[in-house]
Amino acid sequence: MSLRYAVLTLLDIEPGSGYDLKRRFERSVSHFWSASHQQMYRELHKLHDEGLLDCTEQPQEGKPDKKIYSLTERGRAALQAWVQQPTPAQKIREPFLIQLFAGHHLTDEQARAAVQRQLEEHRALLHSYLEQNERVLQSDPAVQERYWLAHQTLLLGIEAEKTWVAWAERLLRRLDQQ
């Protein structure tokens, strides 16, 4: 997958400026796909140049005009064609797991501290995802119905974080026994 389809998907849901898009990206897709602010703007310009996005300018007082992007029919067709293609399952790419794999170079205290940091980060992510889920569950039922498949990505994130937390807690118990 590429950033291109993440951008098309977010603009399919609702047109917006580059800033709007980045905020929406950070609240949703960034949990399973990363991109910098610069990458996002480069992709917007590429998609516009390819005719997959329209761009209208909204005048703003005392500021440059705001560019609002939306999908063209060609952009919607490209998104629809892509979403129907099978994608291979991705392997985990987690730097911490490489460090842990080389964990024989750590003292027990260093290993425990590293696992504890990961546990805290994954607990925080889990908390954030659970809060997002509550907002989804309190949203308009018609919106929930339309985007129920998108909601499944959040539910998978919740399950993944629960697994990380449980795994790290077991690992810490084992380290404490050493």
Side-chain angles (χ1 to χ4, degrees), residues 27-46:
R27 290 190 318 253
S28 60
V29 178
S30 72
H31 300 300
F32 50 88
W33 195 260
S34 63
S36 70
H37 195 68
Q38 294 83 3
Q39 289 172 310
M40 185 85 61
Y41 276 96
R42 273 196 307 269
E43 196 62 45
L44 278 171
H45 294 185
K46 256 173 61 178

Side-chain angles (χ1 to χ4, degrees), residues 14-113:
E14 181 181 2
S17 66
Y19 177 77
D20 297 332
L21 184 64
K22 184 65 176 159
R23 283 185 41 225
R24 276 189 251 149
F25 188 93
E26 288 168 354
R27 290 190 318 253
S28 60
V29 178
S30 72
H31 300 300
F32 50 88
W33 195 260
S34 63
S36 70
H37 195 68
Q38 294 83 3
Q39 289 172 310
M40 185 85 61
Y41 276 96
R42 273 196 307 269
E43 196 62 45
L44 278 171
H45 294 185
K46 256 173 61 178
L47 291 167
H48 182 256
D49 291 346
E50 292 174 27
L52 301 178
L53 297 180
D54 273 332
C55 180
T56 57
E57 293 190 4
Q58 266 183 4
Q60 300 185 104
E61 244 181 81
K63 298 179 187 177
D65 292 347
K66 185 178 191 177
K67 293 181 178 183
I68 304 296
Y69 296 93
S70 59
L71 259 65
T72 62
E73 284 307 312
R74 197 166 149 216
R76 196 164 277 107
L79 177 59
Q80 187 174 16
W82 173 79
V83 85
Q84 293 175 24
Q85 294 176 12
T87 58
Q90 294 293 304
K91 293 182 180 179
I92 296 173
R93 286 184 59 153
E94 179 59 57
F96 173 69
L97 295 180
I98 297 293
Q99 289 178 326
L100 200 58
F101 198 73
H104 57 280
H105 292 285
L106 300 172
T107 66
D108 288 347
E109 294 83 28
Q110 290 170 324
R112 189 176 200 306

